[in-house]
Amino acid sequence: MNSTLGTTTRYLDVTGGRIAYDDAPGPGVPVVLLPGMLDKRAVYRHLAPLLGAAGHRVVSMDLRGMGESSTGFTDHSPAAIAEDLAALLDHLDLRGAVLVGSSYTGASVVRAASLAPGRTGGVVLIDAFVENLPLNGFQKALFGLAAPLVTAFPGLWSAMQKFYYPGERPADFDAYRAGLAAMLREPARKAALRGYLRGDSAPVGWCAAVDVPALVLMGDKDPDFPRPGLVADRQAAALRGRTVMIGGAGHYPMASHPQAVADALLPFLAGLGGQVGQAGQAGPSDENGTAR
């Protein structure tokens, strides 16, 4: 039993290992939630109940080598995760599912939408890396340094979580952060750590193949982006979708501001129920989430 999400952990065998997921039933539009790199599906622990209470079927998936998924995978790229997601959609026979990706897995849900068009009803990005500007020399050096450091000292990633939650934090923040640190210290996680930190989290060109409604959610205080609103609008334009900024949120608004994320996501899901052709066609938003 996964006590954090209140559902039973299930497993799916994929190429190279086993993926853990949970599945909470509901009559509404199915939603599949993917965490970012070096995180667990429990990052959605505060948002998932809000979606379930609104009647939606909510599926959350652990990434390769993280959470309750197995270790030993040799490929941790966004493309490989997209294949796992497509396999899960087939396994559960989901149709019209909304794929939600956070940070590193924004690219994965975009890719999965093109791999499984008949099963995908919409795409939602939360503070994601996809179609972003190429890294400059300083950023490349910084990420190049981060990979060996975090691999050698996994506790650094847990410490960095304070940086990614610049304002409001969930009540269980310290306990969750301690759980991440404990997970990343396990020796079997080292290959996954290196794989994620050295991977390309923002492939360019994948959005062109997506032909479903899209929503881009972004914390307006996300420290990963100097101008979060500009990045969000660029992604929304590439997906022909719309942007909603989450005021006061950092990189993980689904954990720090779950109600605000639900308030943006639930109308999007409701629109897919009867007006799929119109959903996601509005223009980009301003910094406060007002469509323009």
Side-chain angles (χ1 to χ4, degrees):
M1 172 71 73
N2 180 341
S3 58
T4 303
L5 293 174
T7 53
T8 301
T9 300
R10 305 180 184 186
Y11 299 93
L12 174 66
D13 290 330
V14 296
T15 302
R18 187 175 69 168
I19 295 298
Y21 70 95
D22 56 68
D23 184 0
V29 175
V31 184
V32 185
L33 306 170
L34 270 67
M37 70 174 186
L38 312 190
D39 210 337
K40 301 182 288 186
R41 69 188 194 273
V43 73
Y44 290 100
R45 63 199 180 279
H46 301 302
L47 176 63
L50 299 177
L51 302 181
H56 295 284
R57 181 177 181 179
V58 182
V59 178
S60 303
M61 185 184 104
D62 275 330
L63 306 185
R64 297 176 165 215
M66 296 290 121
E68 295 179 274
S69 292
S70 66
T71 58
F73 288 94
T74 58
D75 187 351
H76 301 86
S77 67
I81 297 168
E83 292 177 1
D84 294 341
L85 176 54
L88 182 61
L89 294 175
D90 283 342
H91 176 69
L92 297 177
D93 193 25
L94 295 180
R95 300 183 185 279
V98 171
L99 313 181
V100 181
S102 163
S103 192
Y104 188 88
T105 58
S108 298
V109 299
V110 167
R111 181 66 170 171
S114 65
L115 294 177
R119 299 194 178 279
T120 304
V123 168
V124 177
L125 307 183
I126 301 180
D127 290 72
F129 291 91
V130 60
E131 304 286 359
N132 294 331
L133 295 174
L135 298 179
N136 58 37
F138 173 76
Q139 290 170 322
K140 288 181 180 178
L142 182 62
F143 279 100
L145 179 64
L149 278 176
V150 174
T151 302
F153 305 102
L156 284 176
W157 187 256
S158 174
M160 288 170 63
Q161 294 300 300
K162 292 183 178 180
F163 175 70
Y164 287 121
Y165 289 79
E168 186 176 344
R169 296 169 179 168
D172 59 356
F173 177 71
D174 289 337
Y176 187 76
R177 206 162 53 89
L180 284 183
M183 176 185 75
L184 296 176
R185 288 192 188 100
E186 297 173 14
R189 309 282 182 184
K190 286 190 175 181
L193 279 166
R194 289 191 293 268
Y196 286 118
L197 290 168
R198 294 174 180 172
D200 180 7
S201 62
V204 173
W206 286 0
C207 289
V210 177
D211 191 26
V212 293
L215 177 65
V216 177
L217 305 180
M218 178 76 74
D220 67 359
K221 297 188 182 302
D222 189 335
D224 265 346
F225 305 108
R227 298 181 63 186
L230 179 64
V231 173
D233 283 350
R234 182 186 302 117
Q235 294 173 356
L239 288 165
R240 300 162 297 283
R242 65 185 297 268
T243 301
V244 175
M245 302 299 294
I246 307 299
H251 197 60
Y252 301 98
M254 62 284 205
S256 65
H257 294 68
Q259 188 61 61
V261 172
D263 289 344
L265 183 52
L266 289 174
F268 177 76
L269 298 175
L272 297 180
Q275 297 181 346
V276 175
Q278 298 178 20
Q281 298 303 312
S285 73
D286 62 20
E287 289 290 326
N288 296 314
T290 304
R292 63 170 188 249

